[in-house]
Amino acid sequence: MAAQQNEQTFLATYDPHAFEPIAVTVDIVVLTLRQGVLHVLLVRRGGPPFQGAWALPGGFVKAGQESLDEAAARELAEETGLDAEHGIGRVHLEQLGSYGGPERDPRMHIVSVAYLAFAPDLPEACAGSDAAAAAWIPVEEFGPFAAPEGEPDAEAPRPNEQGRRAGAHGGGPDRRPPDRALAFDHAAILADGLDRARAKIEYAPLATAFLGAEFTITELREVYEAVWGRTLHAGNFHRKVLSVPGFVESTGGTATRGGSRGGPRPRLYRAGDARLLHPALLRPDREDSVR
Amino acid sequence: MAAQQNEQTFLATYDPHAFEPIAVTVDIVVLTLRQGVLHVLLVRRGGPPFQGAWALPGGFVKAGQESLDEAAARELAEETGLDAEHGIGRVHLEQLGSYGGPERDPRMHIVSVAYLAFAPDLPEACAGSDAAAAAWIPVEEFGPFAAPEGEPDAEAPRPNEQGRRAGAHGGGPDRRPPDRALAFDHAAILADGLDRARAKIEYAPLATAFLGAEFTITELREVYEAVWGRTLHAGNFHRKVLSVPGFVESTGGTATRGGSRGGPRPRLYRAGDARLLHPALLRPDREDSVR
DNA sequence: GAAATAGTGTCTTTTAGACATTATCCG
DNA sequence: CGGATAATGTCTAAAAGACACTATTTC
């Protein structure tokens, strides 16, 4: 074909700098469960713009060197300090969506490709590279997405409600509820990530990504309760999980202890080979936001 | 705050050209239904690279001037020739995902933000601006994603099977099955778009976006049958659609004619106000691709 | 009138959810 | 032992799907 020759000539004279530039970044919503509470990984920005503000971890895609998925995995490893062997393989990472308004960054037009990650409870693994500080922050502290809101579940106070509030406002290290304004449009990205997470554990077996290699049905239920922000019926949940083919498979073993206040030793399971849950575990009526 | 001063100094000295550039494009998977067959809008590339090959319609995002959604809407209008009043409002447009491998375009590193559009049957509206030609091509002609594949529905040949094959291979204008290799990685994007479309009409009332303002239940069923590639039980589908709150609402009228070979005049409906279908219209068993 | 289609009725199976019950283990 | 928890059983209601049937229209 003549097109062949055409293309070579074309490429030889092509100047990538001829265009007004757009920068591309990846930003990651990393979710984990700590003591039954859903947390998101945030970093304090070390430089302008939004210096000192909390932001999602992320960074620029290296032009010509890496794909978006690779950039996201690299940033995730850098910001969490996870090495290749130690857990990064157990983290679920998927693309969330792209955000590209011309006004979202004061420096220039920046398109951000957002990713969503589910991580098991990491042993206080934090410490960014270029970020001033990184911390797991309960998603509740960012307000409006706390619970997807049905009735405010009066009979079911969330676990650690007291402990967390006390710890956050009073005692612990400097982790007071951050100024709720995240940098850039990261609040919107976080909200989208939470929506996606809540929807996705309905039909994909990703809740297990929050847990260790072996877990009990109760621990799995606590994942759903934390992500959805509502309590579930233990008995029905148990039977339902076991009825979904390939969701979990028994290890044959049991935990070494029962509940802290008694009870039989629960059996242990590991993630099964299903990639979709069928039938799905639908959320209890989301107040029919349906119409 | 001192950060204010910092940021201004910072921005004054910031040089957007300092980085190796990445270009950003939008590419759109526009789906429509023509005579009961699912079609995708493709353009023939007028220049290199991949000159002469079929590709998804799209183009570069104008740096500093438009958001991703705006760029997608602009490209969609340009490529379909749809004006603002004439239908573009009835087109559903949503972000599909981003594709950003460094090798996907020979010119430079290009990140493409893909969009998915559902359009009503446009009156042969085609004619690109910068593209050599645009055409609606049956998605089947691109092979592996034809039907999601259960058993090949032996007793239910697809509507127009004969007519379409004959028309495409023989009679009509120059629209023979294109060289199946789409430009760039557009085949993968198209496949993802079809997956999304098939999944999304399960729980969102988007099938109506393929139809006119008023439609019959049978026409709605034909949308599902075309997108899913399988026949559905007419009676059960009918009852189910009417049982989902807010999916469709009656106009009170009926069509002026019954079926072409007889039958009562069907009632007319318009899209309801639901944004999610509950309960959802789940696909008949997808051969449990579940495990 | 014959054939095709719209719309409804009926029945069975599956699933969700409320609730009860039994068994096991911690202190 | 007493309380808490794991796991299972039972019952009801909702939904999915197979199938039959009636009514209406076109040719």
Side-chain angles (χ1 to χ4, degrees):
Chain A
M1 284 202 175
Q4 283 272 346
Q5 181 57 34
N6 256 355
E7 290 212 17
Q8 293 194 358
T9 318
F10 169 79
L11 285 175
T13 59
Y14 189 85
D15 176 16
H17 284 274
F19 301 95
E20 183 77 9
I22 299 183
V24 180
T25 64
V26 291
D27 290 312
I28 318 181
V29 177
V30 193
L31 301 178
T32 199
L33 230 68
R34 296 167 71 84
Q35 293 114 42
V37 177
L38 189 64
H39 287 64
V40 60
L41 182 65
L42 295 179
V43 300
R44 245 190 220 287
R45 287 186 56 80
F50 292 97
Q51 183 164 16
W54 289 101
L56 297 173
F60 287 91
V61 175
K62 294 179 178 171
Q65 294 182 41
E66 58 185 358
S67 70
L68 300 175
D69 288 359
E70 288 162 357
R74 174 178 57 76
E75 290 289 345
L76 178 61
E78 285 178 10
E79 307 279 3
T80 59
L82 255 46
D83 44 355
E85 52 168 336
H86 205 96
I88 199 89
R90 295 196 34 74
V91 176
H92 170 78
L93 184 63
E94 69 177 44
Q95 195 181 296
L96 177 59
S98 296
Y99 300 77
E103 305 309 325
R104 53 187 299 281
D105 191 301
R107 290 169 288 183
M108 62 183 294
H109 197 159
I110 295 190
V111 169
S112 179
V113 183
Y115 278 77
L116 176 63
F118 296 168
D121 190 356
L122 304 172
E124 195 56 62
C126 278
S129 54
D130 39 27
W136 293 107
I137 310 287
V139 298
E140 262 193 23
E141 298 190 1
F142 287 90
F145 14 85
E149 304 304 344
E151 290 88 44
D153 245 339
E155 81 286 12
R158 292 196 190 71
N160 303 36
E161 179 85 30
Q162 272 196 340
R164 188 172 37 68
R165 287 241 180 268
H169 285 225
D174 182 24
R175 183 140 63 70
R176 309 182 335 220
D179 8 340
R180 304 192 167 219
L182 290 181
F184 309 109
D185 53 358
H186 287 189
I189 298 177
L190 173 55
D192 289 347
L194 291 172
D195 280 346
R196 170 79 69 90
R198 293 189 180 115
K200 193 133 192 183
I201 61 174
E202 284 188 324
Y203 60 90
L206 294 179
T208 58
F210 287 110
L211 301 171
E214 300 195 348
F215 49 84
T216 67
I217 301 293
T218 296
E219 288 170 336
L220 185 61
R221 175 169 48 82
E222 286 166 350
V223 172
Y224 278 89
E225 291 178 335
V227 175
W228 285 345
R230 30 186 48 184
T231 55
L232 302 175
H233 184 105
N236 288 340
F237 180 87
H238 192 108
R239 179 164 17 87
K240 168 126 204 183
V241 164
L242 296 185
S243 79
V244 176
F247 190 5
V248 299
E249 57 189 31
S250 174
T251 67
T254 66
T256 56
R257 280 189 46 93
S260 55
R261 292 185 294 275
R265 295 180 182 155
R267 298 173 198 157
L268 290 174
Y269 297 84
R270 56 176 157 259
D273 56 357
R275 295 194 305 179
L276 289 175
L277 304 183
H278 185 71
L281 282 83
L282 298 178
R283 275 171 277 191
D285 49 12
R286 39 195 128 165
E287 228 47 44
D288 287 29
S289 64
V290 158
R291 319 198 72 198
Chain B
M1 282 203 176
Q4 283 273 347
Q5 181 56 36
N6 255 356
E7 289 212 18
Q8 294 195 357
T9 316
F10 169 79
L11 286 175
T13 59
Y14 189 84
D15 176 17
H17 284 274
F19 301 95
E20 182 78 10
I22 299 183
V24 180
T25 65
V26 291
D27 290 311
I28 318 182
V29 177
V30 192
L31 301 178
T32 200
L33 229 68
R34 295 165 71 83
Q35 292 114 43
V37 178
L38 189 65
H39 286 64
V40 60
L41 180 66
L42 296 180
V43 299
R44 244 190 220 287
R45 287 186 56 80
F50 291 96
Q51 184 166 16
W54 288 100
L56 297 174
F60 287 90
V61 175
K62 294 179 178 172
Q65 294 180 43
E66 58 185 359
S67 70
L68 300 175
D69 288 359
E70 288 163 357
R74 174 178 57 76
E75 290 289 345
L76 179 62
E78 286 178 10
E79 307 278 3
T80 59
L82 255 46
D83 44 355
E85 52 167 335
H86 205 96
I88 198 91
R90 294 195 33 74
V91 176
H92 170 79
L93 184 63
E94 68 177 46
Q95 194 182 296
L96 177 59
S98 295
Y99 300 77
E103 305 309 324
R104 52 187 300 281
D105 191 301
R107 290 170 287 184
M108 63 183 293
H109 196 160
I110 295 190
V111 169
S112 179
V113 183
Y115 277 77
L116 177 63
F118 297 167
D121 190 355
L122 305 172
E124 194 57 62
C126 277
S129 56
D130 41 26
W136 294 107
I137 310 286
V139 297
E140 261 193 23
E141 297 189 2
F142 288 91
F145 16 85
E149 301 306 343
E151 289 89 45
D153 246 337
E155 80 286 13
R158 291 195 191 74
N160 303 37
E161 180 84 32
Q162 271 195 341
R164 186 172 39 68
R165 286 240 180 268
H169 286 225
D174 181 26
R175 185 138 64 69
R176 310 183 334 223
D179 8 340
R180 306 196 166 216
L182 291 181
F184 309 110
D185 53 358
H186 287 189
I189 298 177
L190 173 55
D192 289 346
L194 290 172
D195 280 347
R196 170 82 67 90
R198 294 190 180 114
K200 194 133 190 183
I201 61 173
E202 285 189 322
Y203 60 89
L206 294 179
T208 58
F210 287 109
L211 300 172
E214 299 195 347
F215 50 85
T216 67
I217 301 293
T218 296
E219 287 169 339
L220 185 60
R221 173 168 50 82
E222 286 166 351
V223 173
Y224 278 89
E225 290 178 335
V227 175
W228 285 345
R230 28 186 52 183
T231 55
L232 301 175
H233 184 103
N236 288 340
F237 180 86
H238 192 107
R239 182 164 13 87
K240 168 126 203 183
V241 165
L242 295 185
S243 79
V244 176
F247 191 3
V248 298
E249 57 189 30
S250 174
T251 67
T254 67
T256 56
R257 278 191 46 92
S260 56
R261 291 185 294 272
R265 295 180 181 154
R267 298 174 197 158
L268 290 174
Y269 297 85
R270 58 176 155 260
D273 56 357
R275 296 194 307 177
L276 288 175
L277 303 182
H278 185 71
L281 282 84
L282 298 177
R283 275 172 278 192
D285 49 13
R286 40 194 128 168
E287 229 45 45
D288 288 28
S289 63
V290 160
R291 319 197 72 196

